[in-house]
Amino acid sequence: MHECICIFVISLRFMEYTINDCFTGAVHGIMRHRDDCLRKRMPGYLAFLTFLLIVSAWFSSRLYLDSAAEMFSEQTVETDSFRRMSLTEEALSELLEIVTADGMTPGTVLTALYPFYPDGYRSLSSAVDASGLGLLRKSFLDRNRDGYQSVSDALTAIWDDIRCFPAEGGSFYFENTWMYERSYGGIRGHEGTDIIPPDNLAGIYPVVSMTDGIVEKIGWLEKGGYRIGIRGVNGGYFYYAHLDSYARDFEVGDEVYAGEQLGMMGDSGYGEEGTRGQFDVHLHIGIYIRTKNVEELSINPYWVLRYSQGLQGG
């Protein structure tokens, strides 16, 4: 950084002397040899100005990347803005296009661009090709390897195992209800997304795994009813709640595959085992990651579900 500052200061001084010289020469040239002065000096002035612009751009880009690299840290993934995992419609469309056309994983793309959109991805068009993202990745790794890897691990766990939408057999509705108030068992935020079927009928609509993975939890929870939790290949935990029934006798440690049926959508929960009918039929989806300080940190599933629909052309 010291050498960058020295170059920048020297360039400014050189520009000052040269512009003064140019001005003096121009005045004299107007009075005596205007055409000859301009013809001889103009190429040199243009060359210098071009050099100055290149040096300034290089210096500015280094400062910008240094600042951007500081956005990566082990604490980044625990912030509210990261957990909201926000995208715009435009960013989602571009992400699907990049993944489909270039074969890059969503985690790779979103990690490289995270410092530019820490409060939500608005557009990915500024650096969507593989070479541009590769340069960004290398630059950030050189500046802040530990922080970059922490964010990369989290985004990979959230996004890269997704293969399909978790419900079949109808046209489903869901909206972004992240941290909306819930009251059963005390006031709390809604740490998930509810998928609503076209008909309020339990035991009709299959629930399938969005990922390959291993069954980590199975059985009844007071709030979640009959649920199943799948640990994805890259470390994300995918939680399916309020099932009416299971597709088979799952046990902890069983291997499952993306698209495999886990059970049927239902309305179980909010009471002792077997309680049903306390709310309309729906599938609650939760996504959780492990961080340095938190064993089970919830992440907003809404845009991940939208992404899963896009993979299937929905």
Side-chain angles (χ1 to χ4, degrees), residues 20-83:
N20 287 338
D21 182 60
C22 176
F23 178 78
T24 302
V27 172
H28 291 167
I30 290 172
M31 294 187 300
R32 296 183 306 205
H33 308 291
R34 180 182 59 188
D35 293 340
D36 185 58
C37 175
L38 292 174
R39 184 173 59 254
K40 290 181 178 180
R41 296 193 176 202
M42 189 58 69
Y45 298 150
L46 292 176
F48 169 73
L49 289 174
T50 300
F51 167 76
L52 183 63
L53 287 173
I54 292 173
V55 171
S56 298
W58 173 79
F59 179 75
S60 297
S61 67
R62 284 188 61 104
L63 288 178
Y64 188 64
L65 287 172
D66 287 343
S67 176
E70 294 177 1
M71 299 295 295
F72 295 107
S73 75
E74 292 179 338
Q75 289 72 44
T76 295
V77 299
E78 297 174 6
T79 62
D80 290 341
S81 59
F82 183 90
R83 294 174 62 202

Side-chain angles (χ1 to χ4, degrees), residues 148-161:
Y148 183 92
Q149 196 61 56
S150 177
V151 174
S152 176
D153 288 347
L155 289 169
T156 296
I158 295 164
W159 291 89
D160 285 5
D161 289 333

Side-chain angles (χ1 to χ4, degrees), residues 168-242:
E168 296 180 340
S171 178
F172 300 93
Y173 170 80
F174 60 97
E175 60 184 13
N176 192 351
T177 58
W178 176 250
M179 288 300 169
Y180 280 26
E181 184 177 297
R182 294 292 188 266
S183 59
Y184 180 83
I187 300 300
R188 56 192 168 84
H190 187 224
E191 298 182 348
T193 299
D194 292 336
I195 299 174
I196 313 299
D199 299 302
N200 185 31
L201 298 172
I204 301 297
Y205 301 100
V207 173
V208 301
S209 179
M210 295 188 288
T211 70
D212 295 342
I214 302 295
V215 175
E216 188 166 296
K217 295 181 181 178
I218 187 77
W220 183 265
L221 284 178
E222 180 183 352
K223 292 186 179 72
Y226 292 113
R227 61 68 158 101
I228 185 169
I230 309 296
R231 182 69 62 180
V233 175
N234 286 295
Y237 180 76
F238 299 88
Y239 171 76
Y240 308 78
H242 308 310

Side-chain angles (χ1 to χ4, degrees), residues 92-276:
L92 175 64
S93 177
E94 290 172 344
L95 180 62
L96 286 162
E97 182 178 347
I98 296 166
V99 170
T100 302
D102 297 339
M104 290 183 286
T105 65
T108 297
V109 176
L110 296 176
T111 303
L113 297 180
Y114 176 77
F116 310 109
Y117 306 107
D119 295 319
Y121 297 92
R122 295 184 294 278
S123 174
L124 310 183
S125 60
S126 58
V128 297
D129 61 280
S131 60
L133 290 171
L135 288 172
L136 279 175
R137 180 178 183 275
K138 182 179 184 304
S139 176
F140 290 140
L141 283 171
D142 288 344
R143 288 167 165 80
N144 184 2
R145 178 173 293 273
D146 290 344
Y148 183 92
Q149 196 61 56
S150 177
V151 174
S152 176
D153 288 347
L155 289 169
T156 296
I158 295 164
W159 291 89
D160 285 5
D161 289 333
I162 301 298
R163 296 291 180 270
C164 60
F165 190 70
E168 296 180 340
S171 178
F172 300 93
Y173 170 80
F174 60 97
E175 60 184 13
N176 192 351
T177 58
W178 176 250
M179 288 300 169
Y180 280 26
E181 184 177 297
R182 294 292 188 266
S183 59
Y184 180 83
I187 300 300
R188 56 192 168 84
H190 187 224
E191 298 182 348
T193 299
D194 292 336
I195 299 174
I196 313 299
D199 299 302
N200 185 31
L201 298 172
I204 301 297
Y205 301 100
V207 173
V208 301
S209 179
M210 295 188 288
T211 70
D212 295 342
I214 302 295
V215 175
E216 188 166 296
K217 295 181 181 178
I218 187 77
W220 183 265
L221 284 178
E222 180 183 352
K223 292 186 179 72
Y226 292 113
R227 61 68 158 101
I228 185 169
I230 309 296
R231 182 69 62 180
V233 175
N234 286 295
Y237 180 76
F238 299 88
Y239 171 76
Y240 308 78
H242 308 310
L243 300 180
D244 182 67
S245 61
Y246 295 108
R248 60 182 172 92
D249 293 329
F250 289 104
E251 295 182 357
V252 172
D254 282 354
E255 190 172 3
V256 298
Y257 302 94
E260 179 178 347
Q261 186 172 337
L262 302 176
M264 303 300 287
M265 195 179 296
D267 57 357
S268 62
Y270 281 22
E272 62 184 19
E273 184 167 356
T275 300
R276 287 178 166 84

